[in-house]
Amino acid sequence: MRKIAKIFRKSPTKNTILQKYVKEEIGRELNLILDCSTRWNNLSDMLGRTVRLKNPIKKALIDLKMDVDISQDEFERLFNLSKIFEILKATVEELCKRNANLMTSDAALMFMFKKLDTMHREIVARELVASLKCRIKERR
């Protein structure tokens, strides 16, 4: 996804083609977001925007005759990763609030585990839940 975001962000001409399809589908311009390698929450934003602009990206790549091909399975994986990152981002924001205490922190973690457990079909979510539970037990 970084490669695709760089293609459209570095070239105004290519971005114009993408924005034409974005306006048709969404009604206003939305640019792709390029993440920063040291900030995980930017990755969440990048994945969310890419999933939202899936069809315009595909159409623009076809118009540009680019050999970057993204399958439906890859977009489904990106969608699932995006959902996982949204859950993690909401939990971390709740944990980082100034008025957070042990009760609210425990509730936020339980919320996160329940949401990730509902994504049981995604292997990444299962592995993440298992490793987080193990790490939290170590810390307690």
Side-chain angles (χ1 to χ4, degrees):
M1 293 321 313
R2 286 184 186 122
K3 183 178 176 183
I4 291 173
K6 286 179 183 177
I7 288 170
F8 291 110
R9 289 188 55 94
K10 288 185 177 182
S11 171
T13 307
K14 293 175 184 175
N15 192 39
T16 304
I17 293 170
L18 174 67
Q19 293 307 320
K20 177 180 77 170
Y21 291 115
V22 172
K23 281 182 185 178
E24 285 176 8
E25 188 168 309
I26 297 175
R28 63 184 176 100
E29 287 189 9
L30 283 176
N31 289 319
L32 290 175
I33 298 172
L34 185 61
D35 72 325
C36 176
S37 59
T38 59
R39 304 280 184 246
W40 68 268
N41 60 347
N42 288 351
L43 179 63
S44 170
D45 296 337
M46 181 180 77
L47 290 175
R49 183 66 59 91
T50 303
V51 168
R52 188 173 179 192
L53 300 178
K54 175 180 96 169
N55 292 331
I57 290 171
K58 282 185 172 182
K59 291 175 184 177
L61 288 173
I62 290 170
D63 278 1
L64 295 169
K65 297 179 179 137
M66 304 289 289
D67 60 348
V68 179
D69 186 35
I70 305 169
S71 68
Q72 185 63 30
D73 185 48
E74 290 172 331
F75 266 116
E76 188 174 314
R77 287 182 187 170
L78 286 174
F79 178 74
N80 289 332
L81 279 175
S82 174
K83 291 295 181 189
I84 290 170
F85 274 116
E86 284 177 14
I87 294 167
L88 289 175
K89 188 174 181 180
T91 304
V92 168
E93 286 175 356
E94 192 63 34
L95 292 173
C96 293
K97 284 186 177 177
R98 192 172 204 91
N99 62 352
N101 56 32
L102 288 175
M103 284 182 51
T104 58
S105 299
D106 195 43
L109 290 173
M110 289 302 125
F111 167 79
M112 179 186 66
F113 288 137
K114 284 181 185 178
K115 286 291 192 177
L116 290 175
D117 282 337
T118 60
M119 299 182 73
H120 65 277
R121 70 176 188 268
E122 183 63 34
I123 295 172
V124 175
R126 271 189 270 145
E127 291 175 0
L128 180 66
V129 168
S131 64
L132 283 174
K133 283 182 178 179
C134 179
R135 182 69 177 147
I136 288 171
K137 284 180 183 177
E138 288 175 5
R139 303 274 306 192
R140 289 186 179 182

